């Protein structure tokens, strides 16, 4: 299980801060500008340098960090900027867990293939906990 922290245009600053605090190796960072080009969903110039995803290792925990630009992510409210990440072992496991979490919850991003994962989706469960479901 991993942890995901979302920020409003401060992810790069937060990453640098946490690297210093926890004396970690430099995080692996992908910006929105690093995404493959998509004519149907072009990346706004103002977002190209924002962090789309990063992975910071603190002890044995993966702490993923990203910016949450308006229109590309659910609105960021301090308190909902922490999510739990479940890394599934199979399509069946990812699908079952996603569907169970979605019961009486809200699908924020449907479970589907992305350029970084075989399956990825985001769901807020019935208790308000946000989950990222991954299958790499």
């Amino acid at each position: 299980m991993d942890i995901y922290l979302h920020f409003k245009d401060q992810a790069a600053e937060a990453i640098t801060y946490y690297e210093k605090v926890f004396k970690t190796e430099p995080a692996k960072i992908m910006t929105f500008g690093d995404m493959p080009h998509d004519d149907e969903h072009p990346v706004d110039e103002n977002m190209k340098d924002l962090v789309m995803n990063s992975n910071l290792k603190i002890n044995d925990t993966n702490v993923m960090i990203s910016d949450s630009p308006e229109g590309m992510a659910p609105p960021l409210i301090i308190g909902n900027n922490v999510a739990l990440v479940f890394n599934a072992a199979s399509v069946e496991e990812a699908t079952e867990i996603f569907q169970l979490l979605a019961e009486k919850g809200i699908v924020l991003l449907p479970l589907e293939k992305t350029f970084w994962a075989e399956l990825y989706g985001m769901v807020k469960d019935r208790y308000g906990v946000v989950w990222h479901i991954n299958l790499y």
Side-chain angles (χ1 to χ4, degrees), residues 12-74:
E13 179 182 323
I15 291 165
T16 300
Y17 173 73
Y18 294 135
E19 287 172 342
K20 180 180 175 185
V21 168
F22 295 104
K23 297 175 178 58
T24 68
E25 295 292 320
K28 296 178 181 129
I29 298 173
M30 177 186 289
T31 66
F32 283 95
D34 294 331
M35 289 174 40
H37 181 74
D38 181 349
D39 287 330
E40 291 183 31
H41 304 96
V43 175
D44 185 288
E45 285 297 317
N46 296 328
M47 293 179 8
K48 288 193 173 190
D49 292 331
L50 295 178
V51 176
M52 183 187 134
N53 187 45
S54 67
N55 188 5
L56 184 65
K57 200 75 151 156
I58 300 176
N59 289 340
D60 292 330
T61 301
N62 288 318
V63 179
M64 293 181 285
I65 298 172
S66 73
D67 285 304
S68 293
E70 196 171 316
M72 292 192 77

Side-chain angles (χ1 to χ4, degrees), residues 4 10 25 72 82:
Y4 213 118
Q10 296 175 305
E25 295 292 320
M72 292 192 77
V82 176

Side-chain angles (χ1 to χ4, degrees), residues 110-123:
L111 189 64
E112 58 190 16
K113 182 169 180 45
T114 66
F115 67 88
W116 71 86
E118 186 175 338
L119 286 175
Y120 171 79
M122 194 183 330
V123 61

